[in-house]
Amino acid sequence: MSTETGTAGNGTEGGPAAVEPASRRARGRATMKDVARLAGVGIKTVSRVVNRESGVSPAMAVRVEAAVRELGYRPDAGASALRRADGRTSAIGVVVDDVANPFFAALLRAVEEVAVRHGTVVLAGSADDDGSREREVAQAFTDRRVDGLIVAPSGSAVDELGSEVDRGLPVVVVDRAVEALRVDQVLSTNELGAADAVSHLAAHGHRRIAFLGDRTSIPTARERLAGYRQALAAAGLPVDERLVAADLHGEASAEGAALALFTGLPDGTWPTALFCAQNRVTIGVVRALRRLRLEDRVAVVGFDDFPLADLLQPGVTVVAQDPTRVGTTAATLLFARIDGRAEAPRTVWVPTTLLRRGSGEIRPDGAALSAAARG
Amino acid sequence: MSTETGTAGNGTEGGPAAVEPASRRARGRATMKDVARLAGVGIKTVSRVVNRESGVSPAMAVRVEAAVRELGYRPDAGASALRRADGRTSAIGVVVDDVANPFFAALLRAVEEVAVRHGTVVLAGSADDDGSREREVAQAFTDRRVDGLIVAPSGSAVDELGSEVDRGLPVVVVDRAVEALRVDQVLSTNELGAADAVSHLAAHGHRRIAFLGDRTSIPTARERLAGYRQALAAAGLPVDERLVAADLHGEASAEGAALALFTGLPDGTWPTALFCAQNRVTIGVVRALRRLRLEDRVAVVGFDDFPLADLLQPGVTVVAQDPTRVGTTAATLLFARIDGRAEAPRTVWVPTTLLRRGSGEIRPDGAALSAAARG
DNA sequence: CTGAAAGCGCTAACAA
DNA sequence: TTGTTAGCGCTTTCAG
């Protein structure tokens, strides 16, 4: 094993050089140079073997592979990306509102699935509906030179993203449309889905249908509100603005708003049906109806499915989104861009599905309703 | 925060070449060299300003900052890590079973929270209870030279991890104890929590308490089963192995197992209470009891809380884990290691909490039970 | 205080 | 087929 090539010129080494890893910086990791020395070959040969390039004699390959195993060598992906012509890091970033939100968690998982097939790791970050944090997260990712970004934009921080797009960074927007960005977008049919939900209620005889929704700073919330208005118009129903509770945030405020609908309004003007434009809003509303013992009297349809919605009593009828499909589609589009597809940006609409479970099929019953709430 | 808008540099040298980014590999990104050229300073001065090192004259700093802004310069974290003495990448990896599982999603979120405070990004990966995939994910992360790893081990793939630990990679194990690894571990009190649940049922008069649990290849499943046996012993109750359904996987098999308990056993030997050792098992069991219309007759306590457990009827009593605390603790321990703490590995037990919601407080009622199931 | 040179671990381009 | 040289973008070392 006396394989001193003499050309190393590495001043920092010493002792049993062949076995001893060269650098403590790399946490005791062997480098390509170490492998080359142990195998008695040039460093480029090691590179060829490690990257499975052709044009290496079997004998050499065997020697190198043995050295690789002996040293437990693993290539440094960062160093590789730095030097490589295409500069690819085989990492992508996913920026969502909250990775713990079931919708985004499922989306993240779907993205990961596609990413592993592309030998790519996933950086995940939560923006918490905060533009500046979104910017920071996205920047932290681009600072690491990710190959691409999947973003559910919070709304405001789009400009920074725009400059990355202009630089040529592949970006796919999910969940929330951003007109200003010329990138692929994968969106649920928010307006259509909301209209479906409200039409469904109207078809069951409801004429006083309330809207409870998320902050209107969020595009999806606005689209769902638009769908609500559109469906009312289509059904020939007037919009009573007292029945529109937008700008809710979280379960608690939704619960409060729902209670207010039945306590703050004059008798007889109460809604007989509620359309809940978001996940957590729906849950808050269900809580409120339970407290009022109205869960079997007032119809409810929610936008976005949630686990156990079918096990509640009554089961909660929802317009379900498909986060897995959104994630899969977004990731597929992203990798197509990363691999060089240069077509015009495309927007893919992922359809929603109405799931009838009981709460949305309750028919209006004004008299019983007043009595129940009063008692 | 200088309020100066350093436009002073205008007109000083340049030409188009100074604005033109040097490298197309970097996707049209300016490099330090570009900034240095535009500012008319040495590259090291740029490095000092960018890294906020001391010993730069204010005038220089202003010029450099102006050039940084003009070019939209952002340092390449990868290149920086490659050269830096400590080799830190400011990235950590989190390997769990499934990032879409609410327990792990919450854990991931908690880890992320700590990580951002340390200026660190999070690589997330799902191992899907598959040892070889776990190995691949962890390896993909270490190939990127993450500063540390948080892993919920699937059980088998621990050896590879061990060699990373030996190399000095900071690793924290969460959720599932691994005796063989000398690393920090953050675990829920599985055995104790399970025993609590069963004792709670016994205290409510139950003598025939069934166990329904996850695959026993998973350490946590074994610990919870041990807690079950221990609590029965403590209560002076015999273990009837016909009431022990382990090795379930997923909701469907849990539902089937629960049904079997009430159809496959002789009359009078049915359980009056069920302990469900895992999230999805609990949900499957609830489904089964609904089908049998036994939900108000048979007591249920689940291990691990889940959203809406309180909104079911009856509310589902659970022994809740605290994934956020697990994640926060694990991340805190990890960063302490990354920052050089060299104490002996520590195991932190995160306590579980019994949440009484109704289903666990049902008292045994054998006669009614037989009748109901028969009808 | 400032900058030139060296080199992290690797791949690209070009010898041999 | 193999190896040598250069250099990715950055930090370190060390000389001005």
Side-chain angles (χ1 to χ4, degrees):
Chain A
M1 252 172 268
S2 53
T3 51
E4 276 293 313
T5 44
T7 52
N10 189 341
T12 58
E13 69 184 275
V19 185
E20 190 77 16
S23 151
R24 43 238 123 278
R25 287 171 58 278
R27 232 191 283 288
R29 265 173 212 290
T31 72
M32 230 171 217
K33 208 151 94 184
D34 298 322
V35 175
R37 204 176 322 169
L38 179 59
V41 302
I43 181 175
K44 178 68 225 202
T45 301
V46 177
S47 173
R48 287 198 179 95
V49 172
V50 165
N51 295 308
R52 290 175 167 61
E53 286 173 32
S54 58
V56 180
S57 77
M60 283 259 112
V62 168
R63 266 165 69 196
V64 169
E65 274 156 10
V68 164
R69 261 193 307 278
E70 181 169 340
L71 296 176
Y73 170 75
R74 291 252 89 211
D76 182 321
S80 169
L82 182 61
R83 190 60 178 88
R84 174 174 282 123
D86 59 16
R88 275 172 67 157
T89 54
S90 293
I92 63 172
V94 176
V95 186
V96 295
D97 224 44
D98 179 4
V99 294
N101 173 317
F103 179 84
F104 291 119
L107 188 150
L108 175 63
R109 182 63 155 94
V111 170
E112 187 200 335
E113 225 51 44
V114 178
V116 291
R117 289 207 301 273
H118 287 257
T120 295
V121 298
V122 177
L123 292 158
S126 305
D128 253 340
D129 209 352
D130 171 348
S132 73
R133 175 150 171 184
E134 178 179 315
R135 223 187 326 267
E136 284 164 22
V137 172
Q139 199 163 75
F141 291 176
T142 53
D143 284 356
R144 267 135 197 111
R145 301 301 183 258
V146 290
D147 297 333
L149 231 36
I150 291 176
V151 187
S154 69
S156 50
V158 175
D159 16 320
E160 297 271 347
L161 219 53
S163 66
E164 289 295 341
V165 172
D166 294 341
R167 276 199 175 88
L169 180 75
V171 171
V172 176
V173 160
V174 290
D175 189 48
R176 300 163 180 187
V178 181
E179 313 279 338
L181 280 181
R182 288 201 25 94
V183 299
D184 294 321
Q185 313 214 13
V186 182
L187 310 167
S188 289
T189 52
N190 285 297
E191 188 164 343
L192 201 62
D196 273 356
V198 175
S199 301
H200 181 73
L201 290 167
H204 279 77
H206 295 278
R207 303 187 45 85
R208 303 192 51 73
I209 303 170
F211 173 94
L212 296 102
D214 228 349
R215 299 203 218 152
T216 46
S217 64
I218 303 172
T220 49
R222 289 198 300 273
E223 293 164 19
R224 293 170 197 172
L225 180 52
Y228 164 80
R229 292 188 193 279
Q230 180 210 303
L232 287 189
L237 296 174
V239 175
D240 182 343
E241 291 298 340
R242 292 172 303 178
L243 298 186
V244 175
D247 284 307
L248 305 175
H249 194 57
E251 269 182 50
S253 81
E255 187 174 346
L259 289 174
L261 281 174
F262 295 98
T263 56
L265 288 179
D267 203 352
T269 66
W270 292 348
T272 62
L274 311 177
F275 170 57
C276 308
Q278 200 251 2
N279 225 324
R280 288 177 181 158
V281 171
T282 308
I283 294 169
V285 165
V286 169
R287 286 221 153 79
L289 292 180
R290 282 283 174 84
R291 279 176 58 179
L292 296 167
R293 298 180 187 283
L294 287 176
E295 70 268 30
D296 292 315
R297 304 275 167 75
V298 174
V300 170
V301 178
F303 197 103
D304 196 15
D305 200 9
F306 53 93
L308 274 67
D310 61 315
L311 274 183
L312 296 179
Q313 286 174 330
V316 179
T317 296
V318 298
V319 174
Q321 301 186 83
D322 192 342
T324 299
R325 189 160 151 202
V326 172
T328 305
T329 307
T332 305
L333 287 172
L334 185 68
F335 279 106
R337 293 279 173 205
I338 291 173
D339 292 337
R341 185 170 66 83
E343 299 160 26
R346 180 196 310 180
T347 295
V348 177
W349 297 94
V350 175
T352 53
T353 314
L354 181 73
L355 302 178
R356 296 169 178 78
R357 289 178 180 139
S359 76
E361 292 69 42
I362 295 173
R363 297 192 168 266
D365 180 11
L369 196 142
S370 300
R374 218 180 275 120
Chain B
M1 323 289 168
S2 86
T3 50
E4 302 281 320
T5 327
T7 50
N10 61 351
T12 64
E13 90 142 303
V19 186
E20 191 77 17
S23 151
R24 44 242 121 271
R25 286 171 57 280
R27 231 190 282 287
R29 266 173 210 291
T31 72
M32 229 172 218
K33 210 151 91 183
D34 299 321
V35 175
R37 203 178 322 167
L38 179 60
V41 302
I43 181 177
K44 176 65 226 201
T45 300
V46 178
S47 174
R48 287 199 179 94
V49 172
V50 166
N51 295 308
R52 290 175 168 62
E53 284 173 32
S54 59
V56 180
S57 77
M60 282 260 117
V62 168
R63 265 165 69 196
V64 170
E65 275 156 9
V68 164
R69 262 194 307 277
E70 182 169 339
L71 295 177
Y73 171 74
R74 292 252 87 212
D76 181 322
S80 168
L82 181 60
R83 190 59 182 89
R84 174 173 283 120
D86 59 15
R88 276 173 67 158
T89 54
S90 293
I92 62 172
V94 176
V95 185
V96 296
D97 223 45
D98 179 4
V99 294
N101 172 317
F103 180 84
F104 291 120
L107 188 151
L108 175 62
R109 182 63 155 91
V111 170
E112 187 201 335
E113 225 51 46
V114 178
V116 291
R117 289 207 302 273
H118 287 256
T120 294
V121 298
V122 177
L123 292 157
S126 306
D128 253 338
D129 210 352
D130 171 348
S132 74
R133 175 151 171 183
E134 176 180 316
R135 224 186 327 265
E136 283 164 23
V137 172
Q139 198 163 75
F141 291 175
T142 52
D143 283 355
R144 267 132 198 114
R145 302 299 184 259
V146 290
D147 297 332
L149 232 36
I150 292 177
V151 186
S154 69
S156 50
V158 175
D159 15 320
E160 297 272 345
L161 219 54
S163 66
E164 288 296 340
V165 171
D166 293 341
R167 275 200 173 88
L169 180 75
V171 171
V172 176
V173 161
V174 291
D175 190 49
R176 299 162 180 188
V178 181
E179 312 279 336
L181 280 181
R182 288 200 27 93
V183 299
D184 295 321
Q185 315 213 14
V186 183
L187 311 168
S188 290
T189 52
N190 286 297
E191 187 163 346
L192 202 63
D196 273 355
V198 176
S199 300
H200 181 73
L201 290 168
H204 279 75
H206 295 279
R207 302 188 45 85
R208 301 191 54 74
I209 304 171
F211 173 94
L212 297 103
D214 229 350
R215 298 202 219 150
T216 44
S217 64
I218 303 173
T220 50
R222 289 197 300 272
E223 292 164 21
R224 293 169 197 172
L225 179 53
Y228 164 80
R229 293 187 192 280
Q230 181 210 302
L232 287 188
L237 297 174
V239 175
D240 182 342
E241 293 296 340
R242 293 172 302 178
L243 299 185
V244 175
D247 285 306
L248 305 176
H249 195 56
E251 269 182 50
S253 81
E255 187 173 346
L259 290 173
L261 281 175
F262 294 98
T263 56
L265 287 180
D267 203 352
T269 66
W270 294 348
T272 62
L274 312 177
F275 169 57
C276 309
Q278 199 250 1
N279 226 324
R280 288 176 181 158
V281 171
T282 308
I283 294 169
V285 165
V286 169
R287 284 220 154 79
L289 291 180
R290 282 283 174 83
R291 280 175 58 179
L292 295 168
R293 299 181 187 282
L294 287 177
E295 70 266 32
D296 292 315
R297 303 274 168 76
V298 173
V300 169
V301 178
F303 197 104
D304 196 15
D305 200 10
F306 52 93
L308 275 67
D310 61 314
L311 275 183
L312 296 178
Q313 286 173 331
V316 179
T317 296
V318 299
V319 173
Q321 300 186 82
D322 191 344
T324 299
R325 190 160 151 203
V326 172
T328 305
T329 307
T332 305
L333 287 172
L334 184 68
F335 280 106
R337 293 279 173 206
I338 291 173
D339 293 337
R341 185 170 65 84
E343 298 161 28
R346 181 195 310 179
T347 294
V348 177
W349 298 93
V350 175
T352 53
T353 315
L354 181 74
L355 301 178
R356 295 168 180 80
R357 289 179 178 140
S359 75
E361 291 69 42
I362 295 172
R363 295 193 170 265
D365 180 10
L369 197 140
S370 301
R374 218 178 276 121

